[in-house]
Amino acid sequence: MLDRRALLAATAALPLAGAGPVLARTTGRVERFDAPTSAGVLPRAVDVWLPPGYDGARTRHPVLYMQDGQNVFEPGRAFGGQEWRIDETLEALIAVDRVRAPIVLGVWNSANRALDYMPRKAVTADTFTLGLGADALRTEDITSDAYLAWLTGVLKPAIDARYRTLPGRDDTFVMGSSMGGLISAYALAEYPEVFGGAACISTHWPAGDGVVIDWLAAHLPPPGGHRLYFDHGTTTLDALYPPLQARMDAHLRAAGWRQGVDWITRRFEGAEHTEAAWAARADIPLAFLLGA
């Protein structure tokens, strides 16, 4: 039986942290700061991973923006104590030249997580739910358009000014899981001139009864200029996803997206809807987006 608590956990917000010292790491270096604010977007912290060799070099780097940033690098703040281990995974990939060394932005979620991550333009009814019997939410309260405007118009310029980034579309990517997968796909559709690719892990298609699938089919950029990655497991909340992901895949094929070139969908038998499961396969979307 599907665990309703998994859905509630996926939309829960964790407390914010104030700006603090640089975190001691064995891989690269992580800085934390309070992000600049914008109207309609709650304040949040951002963790920035600088790859090995960043200090003292002049090299510029591609940038990966990741949703639910408190789950990305540090188990002490991650949901359930399970981090994505993105820094460790990237260092291993960099060491064997499978990826270009990126700067990674872990953009923390807020108390408005579900509203920040639900694609606003996809919802035409007055209310929507996240599925599995969750309470109805008001469409007018969705803040995803404001969130993406902040991400691209406020945070990105600040990051490009502060760090040695490659700021162009072909070097800027976005990635997230569950509702974070929805907002990552939405970001690619809404800002195709900003993001060259999106990785959408265990995308929570049941939100809004699947309305995001058909909206994306009509609004994704044409194939050939972007990379799009989807995956899902088959147990807990992910057991809902295979038929919905198949609908999304059919739209991509019909639009001319080339599987294995422009787009990848992967199925992981027995994988759950957890940070640990996503960490175990994070090398696959990272290599697809950042392949050397």
Side-chain angles (χ1 to χ4, degrees):
M1 183 175 67
L2 293 175
D3 184 0
R4 182 172 180 269
R5 291 176 297 175
L7 176 60
L8 300 178
T11 59
L14 298 178
L16 292 176
V22 173
L23 303 178
R25 308 299 300 181
T26 58
T27 57
R29 177 163 63 87
V30 176
E31 298 180 350
R32 176 172 300 143
F33 64 90
D34 290 328
T37 58
S38 181
V41 180
L42 291 180
R44 67 199 66 217
V46 173
D47 290 342
V48 183
W49 183 74
L50 303 173
Y54 180 89
D55 296 313
R58 295 184 178 182
T59 307
R60 291 189 172 272
H61 299 268
V63 182
L64 173 63
Y65 290 82
M66 294 194 65
Q67 318 298 340
D68 295 314
Q70 58 265 60
N71 297 335
V72 174
F73 303 116
E74 188 183 4
R77 296 188 183 275
F79 182 80
Q82 298 176 335
E83 59 160 321
W84 279 57
R85 296 178 54 83
I86 291 297
D87 43 354
E88 290 89 345
T89 298
L90 276 172
E91 179 163 290
L93 293 171
I94 292 166
V96 294
D97 295 323
R98 286 190 60 198
V99 299
R100 297 178 295 149
I103 295 169
V104 181
L105 275 292
V107 184
W108 288 38
N109 64 41
S110 75
N112 273 352
R113 181 182 187 273
L115 298 172
D116 281 348
Y117 290 178
M118 183 67 193
R120 173 63 185 88
K121 292 184 175 65
V123 185
T124 57
D126 291 338
T127 62
F128 71 99
T129 75
L130 301 179
L132 288 182
D135 294 337
L137 301 172
R138 298 193 307 174
T139 301
E140 66 185 62
D141 293 334
I142 295 175
T143 49
S144 56
D145 287 345
Y147 171 70
L148 289 183
W150 167 80
L151 189 73
T152 58
V154 177
L155 180 61
K156 185 179 185 300
I159 294 301
D160 290 339
R162 181 167 178 166
Y163 298 99
R164 293 195 312 276
T165 69
L166 291 167
R169 182 196 73 178
D170 292 343
D171 300 297
T172 306
F173 307 96
V174 62
M175 180 172 172
S177 63
S178 195
M179 292 293 292
L182 285 182
I183 192 62
S184 296
Y186 190 51
L188 186 68
E190 286 288 276
Y191 293 91
E193 74 285 1
V194 174
F195 299 108
C200 311
I201 316 300
S202 291
T203 309
H204 189 60
W205 298 121
D209 293 324
V211 295
V212 180
I213 297 172
D214 293 334
W215 186 92
L216 286 172
H219 294 89
L220 281 171
H226 297 80
R227 296 181 183 184
L228 189 54
Y229 173 93
F230 292 109
D231 74 19
H232 60 79
T234 59
T235 64
T236 65
L237 189 57
D238 275 33
L240 290 175
Y241 298 162
L244 297 169
Q245 184 63 56
R247 277 178 52 197
M248 186 72 249
D249 295 347
H251 285 308
L252 291 170
R253 289 191 192 93
W257 286 68
R258 297 166 297 170
Q259 191 163 10
V261 179
D262 305 316
W263 137 71
I264 289 176
T265 293
R266 294 288 302 270
R267 174 188 176 106
F268 294 90
E269 290 293 336
E272 299 180 340
H273 193 88
T274 63
E275 281 73 20
W278 303 327
R281 61 184 190 255
D283 62 306
I284 301 171
L286 290 172
F288 183 62
L289 293 183
L290 296 160

PDB file of all heavy atoms in Angstrom, residues 1-26:
ATOM      1  N   MET A   1       0.851  -1.190   0.000  1.00  0.00           N
ATOM      2  CA  MET A   1       0.000   0.000   0.000  1.00  0.00           C
ATOM      3  C   MET A   1       0.887   1.241   0.000  1.00  0.00           C
ATOM      4  O   MET A   1       1.908   1.293   0.688  1.00  0.00           O
ATOM      5  CB  MET A   1      -0.893   0.014   1.237  1.00  0.00           C
ATOM      6  CG  MET A   1      -1.858   1.195   1.273  1.00  0.00           C
ATOM      7  SD  MET A   1      -3.011   1.089   2.680  1.00  0.00           S
ATOM      8  CE  MET A   1      -1.892   1.303   4.055  1.00  0.00           C
ATOM      9  N   LEU A   2       0.490   2.254  -0.765  1.00  0.00           N
ATOM     10  CA  LEU A   2       1.259   3.489  -0.826  1.00  0.00           C
ATOM     11  C   LEU A   2       1.199   4.226   0.499  1.00  0.00           C
ATOM     12  O   LEU A   2       0.168   4.275   1.157  1.00  0.00           O
ATOM     13  CB  LEU A   2       0.716   4.383  -1.940  1.00  0.00           C
ATOM     14  CG  LEU A   2       0.907   3.840  -3.348  1.00  0.00           C
ATOM     15  CD1 LEU A   2       0.229   4.730  -4.355  1.00  0.00           C
ATOM     16  CD2 LEU A   2       2.380   3.697  -3.671  1.00  0.00           C
ATOM     17  N   ASP A   3       2.286   4.834   0.864  1.00  0.00           N
ATOM     18  CA  ASP A   3       2.414   5.522   2.135  1.00  0.00           C
ATOM     19  C   ASP A   3       2.083   6.998   1.949  1.00  0.00           C
ATOM     20  O   ASP A   3       2.845   7.741   1.336  1.00  0.00           O
ATOM     21  CB  ASP A   3       3.834   5.337   2.669  1.00  0.00           C
ATOM     22  CG  ASP A   3       4.009   5.941   4.045  1.00  0.00           C
ATOM     23  OD1 ASP A   3       3.035   6.497   4.596  1.00  0.00           O
ATOM     24  OD2 ASP A   3       5.131   5.854   4.559  1.00  0.00           O
ATOM     25  N   ARG A   4       0.937   7.443   2.475  1.00  0.00           N
ATOM     26  CA  ARG A   4       0.547   8.847   2.328  1.00  0.00           C
ATOM     27  C   ARG A   4       1.556   9.763   2.994  1.00  0.00           C
ATOM     28  O   ARG A   4       1.759  10.908   2.583  1.00  0.00           O
ATOM     29  CB  ARG A   4      -0.848   9.065   2.930  1.00  0.00           C
ATOM     30  CG  ARG A   4      -1.378  10.502   2.793  1.00  0.00           C
ATOM     31  CD  ARG A   4      -2.830  10.576   3.232  1.00  0.00           C
ATOM     32  NE  ARG A   4      -3.343  11.922   3.109  1.00  0.00           N
ATOM     33  CZ  ARG A   4      -3.307  12.822   4.077  1.00  0.00           C
ATOM     34  NH1 ARG A   4      -2.758  12.508   5.239  1.00  0.00           N
ATOM     35  NH2 ARG A   4      -3.807  14.029   3.900  1.00  0.00           N
ATOM     36  N   ARG A   5       2.234   9.255   4.026  1.00  0.00           N
ATOM     37  CA  ARG A   5       3.216  10.090   4.711  1.00  0.00           C
ATOM     38  C   ARG A   5       4.366  10.483   3.801  1.00  0.00           C
ATOM     39  O   ARG A   5       4.996  11.516   3.986  1.00  0.00           O
ATOM     40  CB  ARG A   5       3.750   9.370   5.948  1.00  0.00           C
ATOM     41  CG  ARG A   5       2.727   9.205   7.061  1.00  0.00           C
ATOM     42  CD  ARG A   5       3.302   8.413   8.207  1.00  0.00           C
ATOM     43  NE  ARG A   5       3.651   7.068   7.781  1.00  0.00           N
ATOM     44  CZ  ARG A   5       4.269   6.201   8.560  1.00  0.00           C
ATOM     45  NH1 ARG A   5       4.635   6.536   9.780  1.00  0.00           N
ATOM     46  NH2 ARG A   5       4.546   4.985   8.118  1.00  0.00           N
ATOM     47  N   ALA A   6       4.636   9.649   2.788  1.00  0.00           N
ATOM     48  CA  ALA A   6       5.715   9.994   1.856  1.00  0.00           C
ATOM     49  C   ALA A   6       5.399  11.289   1.116  1.00  0.00           C
ATOM     50  O   ALA A   6       6.279  12.114   0.874  1.00  0.00           O
ATOM     51  CB  ALA A   6       5.925   8.861   0.855  1.00  0.00           C
ATOM     52  N   LEU A   7       4.128  11.475   0.735  1.00  0.00           N
ATOM     53  CA  LEU A   7       3.740  12.707   0.060  1.00  0.00           C
ATOM     54  C   LEU A   7       3.842  13.888   1.000  1.00  0.00           C
ATOM     55  O   LEU A   7       4.341  14.960   0.635  1.00  0.00           O
ATOM     56  CB  LEU A   7       2.304  12.583  -0.473  1.00  0.00           C
ATOM     57  CG  LEU A   7       1.738  13.852  -1.123  1.00  0.00           C
ATOM     58  CD1 LEU A   7       2.591  14.256  -2.311  1.00  0.00           C
ATOM     59  CD2 LEU A   7       0.306  13.638  -1.545  1.00  0.00           C
ATOM     60  N   LEU A   8       3.367  13.722   2.220  1.00  0.00           N
ATOM     61  CA  LEU A   8       3.440  14.815   3.172  1.00  0.00           C
ATOM     62  C   LEU A   8       4.888  15.171   3.465  1.00  0.00           C
ATOM     63  O   LEU A   8       5.251  16.346   3.574  1.00  0.00           O
ATOM     64  CB  LEU A   8       2.706  14.439   4.466  1.00  0.00           C
ATOM     65  CG  LEU A   8       1.218  14.117   4.290  1.00  0.00           C
ATOM     66  CD1 LEU A   8       0.609  13.717   5.636  1.00  0.00           C
ATOM     67  CD2 LEU A   8       0.464  15.299   3.706  1.00  0.00           C
ATOM     68  N   ALA A   9       5.739  14.152   3.573  1.00  0.00           N
ATOM     69  CA  ALA A   9       7.149  14.416   3.818  1.00  0.00           C
ATOM     70  C   ALA A   9       7.779  15.165   2.659  1.00  0.00           C
ATOM     71  O   ALA A   9       8.621  16.042   2.846  1.00  0.00           O
ATOM     72  CB  ALA A   9       7.890  13.098   4.052  1.00  0.00           C
ATOM     73  N   ALA A  10       7.351  14.833   1.450  1.00  0.00           N
ATOM     74  CA  ALA A  10       7.944  15.469   0.276  1.00  0.00           C
ATOM     75  C   ALA A  10       7.613  16.942   0.185  1.00  0.00           C
ATOM     76  O   ALA A  10       8.288  17.696  -0.503  1.00  0.00           O
ATOM     77  CB  ALA A  10       7.461  14.763  -0.994  1.00  0.00           C
ATOM     78  N   THR A  11       6.561  17.383   0.858  1.00  0.00           N
ATOM     79  CA  THR A  11       6.171  18.783   0.788  1.00  0.00           C
ATOM     80  C   THR A  11       6.439  19.520   2.082  1.00  0.00           C
ATOM     81  O   THR A  11       6.082  20.686   2.228  1.00  0.00           O
ATOM     82  CB  THR A  11       4.669  18.910   0.436  1.00  0.00           C
ATOM     83  OG1 THR A  11       3.909  18.231   1.434  1.00  0.00           O
ATOM     84  CG2 THR A  11       4.393  18.302  -0.918  1.00  0.00           C
ATOM     85  N   ALA A  12       7.049  18.857   3.053  1.00  0.00           N
ATOM     86  CA  ALA A  12       7.344  19.509   4.327  1.00  0.00           C
ATOM     87  C   ALA A  12       8.533  20.444   4.171  1.00  0.00           C
ATOM     88  O   ALA A  12       9.439  20.198   3.403  1.00  0.00           O
ATOM     89  CB  ALA A  12       7.658  18.457   5.388  1.00  0.00           C
ATOM     90  N   ALA A  13       8.521  21.555   4.905  1.00  0.00           N
ATOM     91  CA  ALA A  13       9.635  22.496   4.863  1.00  0.00           C
ATOM     92  C   ALA A  13      10.489  22.317   6.104  1.00  0.00           C
ATOM     93  O   ALA A  13       9.995  21.997   7.175  1.00  0.00           O
ATOM     94  CB  ALA A  13       9.114  23.929   4.784  1.00  0.00           C
ATOM     95  N   LEU A  14      11.770  22.525   5.940  1.00  0.00           N
ATOM     96  CA  LEU A  14      12.692  22.471   7.054  1.00  0.00           C
ATOM     97  C   LEU A  14      13.052  23.886   7.474  1.00  0.00           C
ATOM     98  O   LEU A  14      12.973  24.815   6.676  1.00  0.00           O
ATOM     99  CB  LEU A  14      13.962  21.711   6.634  1.00  0.00           C
ATOM    100  CG  LEU A  14      13.731  20.260   6.243  1.00  0.00           C
ATOM    101  CD1 LEU A  14      15.038  19.631   5.805  1.00  0.00           C
ATOM    102  CD2 LEU A  14      13.150  19.483   7.407  1.00  0.00           C
ATOM    103  N   PRO A  15      13.444  24.099   8.738  1.00  0.00           N
ATOM    104  CA  PRO A  15      13.764  25.449   9.188  1.00  0.00           C
ATOM    105  C   PRO A  15      14.946  26.023   8.446  1.00  0.00           C
ATOM    106  O   PRO A  15      15.872  25.313   8.056  1.00  0.00           O
ATOM    107  CB  PRO A  15      14.086  25.259  10.681  1.00  0.00           C
ATOM    108  CG  PRO A  15      14.385  23.817  10.833  1.00  0.00           C
ATOM    109  CD  PRO A  15      13.577  23.105   9.807  1.00  0.00           C
ATOM    110  N   LEU A  16      14.899  27.342   8.221  1.00  0.00           N
ATOM    111  CA  LEU A  16      15.986  28.028   7.550  1.00  0.00           C
ATOM    112  C   LEU A  16      17.143  28.243   8.508  1.00  0.00           C
ATOM    113  O   LEU A  16      16.968  28.343   9.710  1.00  0.00           O
ATOM    114  CB  LEU A  16      15.512  29.393   7.033  1.00  0.00           C
ATOM    115  CG  LEU A  16      14.500  29.377   5.889  1.00  0.00           C
ATOM    116  CD1 LEU A  16      14.063  30.788   5.579  1.00  0.00           C
ATOM    117  CD2 LEU A  16      15.113  28.743   4.661  1.00  0.00           C
ATOM    118  N   ALA A  17      18.329  28.374   7.928  1.00  0.00           N
ATOM    119  CA  ALA A  17      19.511  28.717   8.713  1.00  0.00           C
ATOM    120  C   ALA A  17      19.968  30.106   8.327  1.00  0.00           C
ATOM    121  O   ALA A  17      19.819  30.516   7.183  1.00  0.00           O
ATOM    122  CB  ALA A  17      20.644  27.725   8.446  1.00  0.00           C
ATOM    123  N   GLY A  18      20.504  30.828   9.270  1.00  0.00           N
ATOM    124  CA  GLY A  18      21.091  32.111   8.951  1.00  0.00           C
ATOM    125  C   GLY A  18      22.437  31.910   8.295  1.00  0.00           C
ATOM    126  O   GLY A  18      22.958  30.804   8.201  1.00  0.00           O
ATOM    127  N   ALA A  19      23.007  33.014   7.807  1.00  0.00           N
ATOM    128  CA  ALA A  19      24.331  32.924   7.211  1.00  0.00           C
ATOM    129  C   ALA A  19      25.311  32.409   8.256  1.00  0.00           C
ATOM    130  O   ALA A  19      25.268  32.790   9.416  1.00  0.00           O
ATOM    131  CB  ALA A  19      24.763  34.294   6.711  1.00  0.00           C
ATOM    132  N   GLY A  20      26.188  31.519   7.855  1.00  0.00           N
ATOM    133  CA  GLY A  20      27.104  30.925   8.808  1.00  0.00           C
ATOM    134  C   GLY A  20      28.477  30.783   8.222  1.00  0.00           C
ATOM    135  O   GLY A  20      28.753  31.247   7.112  1.00  0.00           O
ATOM    136  N   PRO A  21      29.357  30.136   8.922  1.00  0.00           N
ATOM    137  CA  PRO A  21      30.722  29.961   8.447  1.00  0.00           C
ATOM    138  C   PRO A  21      30.784  28.965   7.306  1.00  0.00           C
ATOM    139  O   PRO A  21      29.839  28.212   7.057  1.00  0.00           O
ATOM    140  CB  PRO A  21      31.443  29.418   9.681  1.00  0.00           C
ATOM    141  CG  PRO A  21      30.375  28.703  10.439  1.00  0.00           C
ATOM    142  CD  PRO A  21      29.123  29.517  10.235  1.00  0.00           C
ATOM    143  N   VAL A  22      31.903  28.964   6.619  1.00  0.00           N
ATOM    144  CA  VAL A  22      32.149  27.954   5.598  1.00  0.00           C
ATOM    145  C   VAL A  22      32.134  26.585   6.259  1.00  0.00           C
ATOM    146  O   VAL A  22      32.675  26.400   7.342  1.00  0.00           O
ATOM    147  CB  VAL A  22      33.516  28.205   4.921  1.00  0.00           C
ATOM    148  CG1 VAL A  22      33.865  27.068   3.972  1.00  0.00           C
ATOM    149  CG2 VAL A  22      33.485  29.528   4.176  1.00  0.00           C
ATOM    150  N   LEU A  23      31.481  25.627   5.624  1.00  0.00           N
ATOM    151  CA  LEU A  23      31.394  24.285   6.174  1.00  0.00           C
ATOM    152  C   LEU A  23      32.644  23.494   5.816  1.00  0.00           C
ATOM    153  O   LEU A  23      33.110  23.526   4.677  1.00  0.00           O
ATOM    154  CB  LEU A  23      30.161  23.564   5.603  1.00  0.00           C
ATOM    155  CG  LEU A  23      28.821  24.268   5.822  1.00  0.00           C
ATOM    156  CD1 LEU A  23      27.726  23.454   5.167  1.00  0.00           C
ATOM    157  CD2 LEU A  23      28.546  24.494   7.279  1.00  0.00           C
ATOM    158  N   ALA A  24      33.175  22.772   6.776  1.00  0.00           N
ATOM    159  CA  ALA A  24      34.350  21.945   6.518  1.00  0.00           C
ATOM    160  C   ALA A  24      33.938  20.748   5.666  1.00  0.00           C
ATOM    161  O   ALA A  24      32.990  20.044   5.990  1.00  0.00           O
ATOM    162  CB  ALA A  24      34.964  21.480   7.830  1.00  0.00           C
ATOM    163  N   ARG A  25      34.634  20.524   4.555  1.00  0.00           N
ATOM    164  CA  ARG A  25      34.307  19.431   3.650  1.00  0.00           C
ATOM    165  C   ARG A  25      35.571  18.679   3.245  1.00  0.00           C
ATOM    166  O   ARG A  25      36.666  19.227   3.295  1.00  0.00           O
ATOM    167  CB  ARG A  25      33.646  19.951   2.361  1.00  0.00           C
ATOM    168  CG  ARG A  25      32.451  20.866   2.565  1.00  0.00           C
ATOM    169  CD  ARG A  25      31.325  20.202   3.301  1.00  0.00           C
ATOM    170  NE  ARG A  25      30.845  19.035   2.597  1.00  0.00           N
ATOM    171  CZ  ARG A  25      29.848  18.275   3.025  1.00  0.00           C
ATOM    172  NH1 ARG A  25      29.240  18.546   4.143  1.00  0.00           N
ATOM    173  NH2 ARG A  25      29.459  17.231   2.327  1.00  0.00           N
ATOM    174  N   THR A  26      35.386  17.462   2.814  1.00  0.00           N
ATOM    175  CA  THR A  26      36.502  16.709   2.265  1.00  0.00           C
ATOM    176  C   THR A  26      36.506  16.766   0.750  1.00  0.00           C
ATOM    177  O   THR A  26      37.461  16.323   0.122  1.00  0.00           O
ATOM    178  CB  THR A  26      36.415  15.237   2.707  1.00  0.00           C
ATOM    179  OG1 THR A  26      35.169  14.684   2.267  1.00  0.00           O
ATOM    180  CG2 THR A  26      36.496  15.124   4.222  1.00  0.00           C
TER     181      THR A  26
END
